[in-house]
């Protein structure tokens, strides 16, 4: 890629709004933590792990992702995982992150909620020290029952002052958002923000449900929205943020080829799309690699890249002052490059 475009992406101030902490678990760290915990992993080497990361759909990935997460056991493990991610994205010009964690993956194995949340929050606080602000989003696993989600929500109660919102992830097909209506009602009543994965593998109807039944504040992925012009009009009119994940879409075969990725069409349709890495350790790149992949395959202009970065702040759960400050920083950066 053109050096000027790569350095423009590298210096662009940005937020990441769709990142699963368990999906930032790099193979090297997986081996180090497995050794520390005397835990078994079904791989002999880092190379063997990377070779296993060939997926034909979301479930293929999830099977390996949940298996790897079993290595995480202590507060220190969750802290180290989170801190490694923050340090990595500090180098990508990331100023703010809103990260997901999947407590049920851990509590189901007998790891206390406090061990998971305590470790993550300690690292997030350290991130403030090197210039990355953050918010934490508790994701419910949609392949589990609403009752299981409620039990997890109960465990989260003492931590709610430190949790900005709840999300919905895991196997999408066959698990429409409406299955967790009561749980999302309870989270809203507790003052939390709401997000949901929808329209990654599932149909546009799932995006409608996330909007009209769960009343979410953001849609994670949302690719399949483009199948439904009435839904596109609705998303554009509301300036609903879509947290799009290009390399994830490619690795999970949601798109066949990066040149066919819908991100540019989303921008052209006036949708508030953002660029995110989803599970960077599994999908081959952190946020700047995602920007670079779409910039190249879709021939995005620097002005379009700046819009994507601005959208990441405008779509965040920061207060209005902070959003305006960050958006102005993107404008200043683009103007220095002669883009405005
Ligand atoms: N989709 C659904 N669940 C997930 C994902 C995803 O992309 N990543 C981690 N859990
Ligand atoms: Zn995701």
């Amino acid at each position: 890629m053109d050096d000027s475009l790569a350095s423009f992406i590298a210096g662009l101030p940005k937020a990441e709004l769709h990142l699963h902490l368990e999906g930032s678990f790099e193979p090297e760290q997986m081996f180090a933590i497995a050794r520390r915990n005397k835990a078994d992993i079904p791989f002999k080497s880092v190379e063997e792990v990377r070779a296993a990361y060939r997926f034909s759909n979301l479930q293929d990935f999830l099977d390996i992702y949940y298996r790897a997460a079993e290595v995480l056991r202590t507060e220190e493990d969750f802290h180290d995982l989170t801190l490694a991610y923050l340090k990595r994205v500090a180098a990508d010009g990331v100023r703010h992150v809103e990260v997901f964690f999947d407590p049920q993956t851990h509590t189901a194995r007998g790891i206390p909620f406090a061990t998971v949340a305590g470790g993550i929050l300690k690292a997030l606080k350290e991130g403030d020290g090197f210039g990355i602000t953050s918010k934490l989003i508790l994701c419910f696993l949609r392949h589990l029952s609403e009752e299981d989600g409620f039990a997890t929500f109960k465990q989260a109660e003492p931590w709610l002052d430190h949790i900005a919102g709840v999300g919905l992830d895991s196997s999408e097909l066959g698990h429409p958002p409406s299955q967790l209506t009561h749980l999302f009602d309870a989270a809203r009543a507790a003052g939390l923000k709401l997000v949901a994965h929808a329209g990654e593998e599932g149909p546009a109807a799932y995006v409608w449900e996330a909007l009209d039944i769960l009343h979410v504040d953001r849609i994670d992925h949302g690719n399949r929205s483009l199948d439904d012009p009435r839904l596109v009009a609705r998303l554009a009119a509301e300036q609903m943020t879509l947290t799009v994940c290009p390399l994830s879409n490619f690795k999970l075969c949601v798109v066949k080829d990066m040149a066919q990725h819908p991100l540019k069409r989303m921008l052209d349709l006036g949708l508030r799309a953002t660029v995110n890495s989803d599970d960077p350790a599994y999908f081959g790149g952190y946020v700047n690699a995602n920007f670079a992949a779409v910039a190249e395959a879709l021939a995005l202009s620097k002005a379009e890249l700046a819009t994507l970065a601005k959208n990441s702040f405008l779509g965040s759960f920061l207060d209005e002052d902070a959003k305006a400050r960050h958006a102005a920083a993107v404008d200043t950066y683009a103007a220095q490059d002669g883009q405005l």
Side-chain angles (χ1 to χ4, degrees):
M1 122 173 301
D2 174 312
D3 279 356
S4 138
L5 200 56
S7 76
F8 182 78
I9 291 169
L12 195 55
K14 56 185 75 72
E16 178 149 60
L17 306 179
H18 186 153
L19 179 282
H20 302 263
L21 284 172
E22 293 89 345
S24 71
F25 200 15
E26 292 287 351
E28 291 79 4
Q29 189 174 39
M30 198 191 298
F31 273 93
I33 289 183
R35 209 171 306 122
R36 180 160 91 191
N37 290 341
K38 301 185 174 44
D40 280 337
I41 36 176
F43 302 106
K44 288 197 194 67
S45 67
V46 165
E47 293 68 37
E48 202 179 289
V49 179
R50 292 202 196 277
Y53 291 175
R54 274 187 279 115
F55 315 111
S56 48
N57 55 38
L58 173 60
Q59 194 61 50
D60 267 3
F61 154 71
L62 290 171
D63 292 344
I64 252 186
Y65 161 88
Y66 292 131
R67 179 66 184 84
E70 289 177 22
V71 170
L72 299 162
R73 301 196 177 163
T74 67
E75 185 172 303
E76 187 186 14
D77 298 342
F78 289 96
H79 166 269
D80 292 357
L81 172 73
T82 306
L83 191 62
Y85 163 70
L86 293 170
K87 286 188 167 161
R88 175 62 189 77
V89 294
D92 273 12
V94 170
R95 308 280 175 89
H96 176 69
V97 298
E98 300 190 352
V99 294
F100 300 136
F101 74 122
D102 288 341
Q104 287 154 299
T105 299
H106 313 298
T107 54
R109 303 180 283 123
I111 312 293
F113 188 96
T115 299
V116 181
I120 293 171
L121 287 164
K122 187 160 170 267
L124 292 180
K125 196 179 264 180
E126 289 167 36
D128 284 338
F130 50 88
I132 300 190
T133 57
S134 56
K135 293 190 185 286
L136 183 58
I137 298 174
L138 183 171
C139 273
F140 295 111
L141 302 181
R142 67 203 308 159
H143 70 273
L144 300 178
S145 67
E146 187 170 50
E147 192 184 0
D148 200 293
F150 265 111
T152 303
F153 194 48
K154 181 102 191 107
Q155 291 164 24
E157 224 166 63
W159 298 86
L160 291 187
D161 283 351
H162 305 283
I163 292 175
V166 301
L168 180 60
D169 65 1
S170 193
S171 323
E172 186 181 9
L173 284 171
H175 299 288
S178 53
Q179 285 186 345
L180 296 180
T181 305
H182 302 104
L183 184 54
F184 271 62
D185 285 346
R188 188 181 324 103
L192 296 170
K193 296 286 190 186
L194 310 175
V195 300
H197 283 54
E200 179 184 18
E201 285 188 341
Y206 285 16
V207 179
W208 281 110
E209 283 196 8
L211 295 174
D212 287 339
I213 301 180
L214 299 189
H215 305 289
V216 296
D217 297 287
R218 279 200 304 250
I219 297 286
D220 294 315
H221 295 294
N223 301 40
R224 296 282 307 276
S225 307
L226 299 194
D227 297 348
D228 179 345
R230 215 164 51 84
L231 177 57
V232 169
R234 161 87 178 269
L235 294 167
E238 290 182 5
Q239 283 299 284
M240 176 60 59
T241 301
L242 305 180
T243 65
V244 180
C245 306
L247 288 173
S248 164
N249 293 157
F250 178 65
K251 293 286 183 180
L252 299 185
C253 306
V254 166
V255 298
K256 281 200 186 66
D257 170 350
M258 213 40 119
Q260 289 171 24
H261 195 280
L263 187 71
K264 177 151 170 64
R265 249 182 307 144
M266 289 172 170
L267 291 178
D268 291 345
L269 289 163
L271 298 176
R272 187 190 270 171
T274 62
V275 171
N276 306 273
S277 69
D278 207 2
D279 301 282
Y282 292 89
F283 301 147
Y286 287 76
V287 66
N288 284 0
N290 278 272
F291 267 92
V294 281
E296 193 152 57
L298 305 174
L300 299 183
S301 65
K302 287 181 179 175
E304 286 170 319
L305 296 171
T307 296
L308 289 163
K310 215 157 147 180
N311 287 349
S312 71
F313 293 114
L314 298 177
S316 74
F317 297 141
L318 287 165
D319 64 36
E320 294 304 318
D321 277 0
K323 284 185 194 180
R325 216 172 346 98
H326 285 296
V330 174
D331 283 341
T332 303
Y333 177 80
Q336 279 165 356
D337 197 79
Q339 294 307 309
L340 293 177

